[in-house]
């Protein structure tokens, strides 16, 4: 708040200023000898934390208080936590472990011992059993339907409007991605039937495959980690979809992981699992997939 103007200046008795005088004055030899030097009784100047952060005097602050203020003033490096797909070990902040030398004025006071560095954050707990991995319905749309059977082999066609989001059934890693529709009508069945497609290896050890997409989501490629419900692409009618917008959906074990298109397109009936996931349930296909693999030795 600024000073209130008066009609006559009010004179005050001169007092010794805590900081340097605004007008230079000639000091007597005795005053020159008595003038303190930086580092005698107090620090030479204020301590600066962050280039654009708060300025804090170190005259009476203890080591722990200075460190705490530096953390409060600076915040996290970079202005925020970076998005990570996989939990990583984070080294404790340097500001929390580096002690600032105490000022001479603070050495006569009893200071609390420096606090221990914060323990690194632990990665989120993973399900103890593959059956406990979270599952979601693979098409995110209100107007969607599927048939409990499929022609020639166990799979399901999920019918929805073209452009509706196709999402990852579980968290896992992308195995295969087809970005071009190279299917030629009239040719025998083969790996090109699906048109644009994505397959993932779920954290439950099961492979989930969706095809006939109109578009694969940017950034989805082999080796990329995805989370349950993450968008993989859009429902379409590429490949041998016969002009009908739908998602061909197959569940299988990751036998050869790539190239085994006869297994990849589906080996167990998905309908009972889709019914559960659509209602918010978590019915797992792990046991059924393992049973099929043991009985057929990955031969479809």
């Amino acid at each position: 708040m600024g000073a209130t103007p008066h009609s006559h200046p009010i004179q005050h008795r001169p007092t010794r200023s805590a900081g340097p005088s605004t007008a230079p004055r000639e000091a007597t030899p005795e005053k020159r000898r008595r003038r303190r030097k930086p580092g005698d009784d107090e620090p030479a100047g204020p301590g600066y934390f962050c280039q654009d952060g708060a300025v804090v005097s170190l005259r009476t602050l203890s080591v722990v208080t200075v460190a705490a203020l530096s953390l409060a003033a600076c915040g996290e490096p970079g202005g925020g936590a970076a998005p990570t797909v996989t939990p990583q070990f984070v080294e404790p902040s340097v500001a929390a472990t580096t002690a600032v030398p105490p000022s001479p004025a603070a050495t006569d006071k009893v200071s609390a011992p420096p606090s221990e560095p914060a323990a690194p954050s632990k990665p989120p707990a993973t399900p103890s059993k593959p059956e406990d991995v979270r599952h979601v319905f693979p098409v995110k749309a209100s107007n969607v339907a599927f048939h409990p059977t499929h022609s020639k082999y166990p799979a399901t066609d999920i019918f929805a409007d073209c452009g509706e989001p196709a999402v990852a059934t579980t968290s896992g890693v992308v195995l295969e991605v087809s970005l071009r529709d190279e299917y030629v009508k009239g040719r025998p069945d083969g790996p090109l039937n699906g048109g644009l497609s994505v397959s993932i290896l779920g954290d439950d050890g099961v492979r989930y495959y969706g095809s006939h997409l109109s578009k694969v989501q940017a950034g989805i490629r082999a080796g990329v980690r995805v989370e349950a419900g993450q968008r993989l692409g859009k429902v379409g009618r590429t490949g041998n979809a016969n002009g009908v917008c739908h998602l061909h959906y197959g569940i299988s074990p990751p036998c050869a992981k790539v190239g085994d298109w006869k297994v990849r397109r589906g080996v167990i009936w998905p309908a009972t699992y889709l019914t559960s996931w659509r209602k918010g349930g978590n019915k797992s296909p792990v046991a059924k997939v393992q049973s099929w693999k043991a009985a057929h030795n990955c031969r479809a």
Side-chain angles (χ1 to χ4, degrees):
M1 179 179 295
T4 304
H6 296 276
S7 57
H8 299 285
I10 301 176
Q11 297 186 359
H12 297 276
R13 183 177 181 180
T15 58
R16 184 175 181 179
S17 173
S21 174
T22 56
R25 298 178 60 186
E26 182 66 21
T28 63
E30 180 180 357
K31 288 185 178 180
R32 291 195 190 101
R33 288 193 299 270
R34 292 173 55 190
R35 183 174 297 167
R36 291 180 296 178
K37 297 179 180 180
D40 289 344
D41 296 324
E42 60 183 1
Y48 293 84
F49 306 111
C50 300
Q51 182 177 357
D52 300 319
V55 178
V56 182
S57 173
L58 299 182
R59 175 175 295 182
T60 60
L61 298 182
S62 65
V63 175
V64 177
T65 308
V66 172
L69 285 174
S70 67
L71 287 174
C74 298
E76 293 180 0
T84 74
V85 176
T86 306
Q88 297 179 348
F89 177 82
V90 180
E91 292 290 342
S93 173
V94 174
T97 57
T98 305
V100 179
S103 64
T107 55
D108 295 334
K109 298 181 180 180
V110 178
S111 301
S115 59
E116 293 295 330
S121 58
K122 296 181 179 180
T126 56
S128 57
K129 298 179 181 179
E131 295 83 355
D132 295 334
V133 173
R134 176 174 171 254
H135 299 79
V136 300
F137 194 80
V139 175
K140 192 173 182 180
S142 57
N143 185 20
V144 62
F146 59 90
H147 200 275
T149 63
H150 190 274
S151 176
K152 298 182 182 180
Y153 55 90
T156 294
D157 289 328
I158 303 174
F159 300 96
D161 293 335
C162 284
E164 295 286 13
V167 301
T169 300
T170 68
S171 56
V173 177
V174 176
L175 290 178
E176 290 181 282
V177 177
S178 172
L179 298 175
R180 291 189 301 176
D181 184 6
E182 298 179 341
Y183 171 75
V184 177
K185 188 174 182 179
R187 287 187 178 180
D189 288 347
L192 302 180
N193 283 12
L196 276 62
S197 62
V198 177
S199 67
I200 67 171
L201 174 60
D203 288 340
D204 56 359
V206 175
R207 173 170 50 185
Y208 300 92
Y209 171 71
S211 64
H212 303 319
L213 301 172
S214 62
K215 177 183 178 181
V216 174
Q217 191 72 14
I220 297 299
R221 59 185 183 276
V224 168
R225 181 161 182 82
V226 295
E227 299 301 323
Q230 181 175 335
R231 183 177 295 198
L232 302 178
K234 295 181 178 181
V235 173
R237 50 190 177 190
T238 57
N240 65 346
N242 294 321
V244 179
C245 296
H246 71 282
L247 178 75
H248 172 88
Y249 188 74
I251 301 177
S252 65
C255 292
K257 293 189 178 179
V258 296
D260 57 340
W261 64 273
K262 281 189 176 182
V263 177
R264 180 189 65 189
R265 64 185 182 179
V267 297
I268 68 169
W269 294 108
T272 58
Y273 308 103
L274 292 172
T275 300
S276 171
W277 303 337
R278 192 176 185 181
K279 295 178 179 179
N282 199 40
K283 186 177 178 64
S284 172
V286 169
K288 195 72 173 179
V289 168
Q290 291 175 344
S291 177
W292 181 92
K293 184 179 180 181
H296 296 82
N297 194 26
C298 284
R299 293 179 181 177

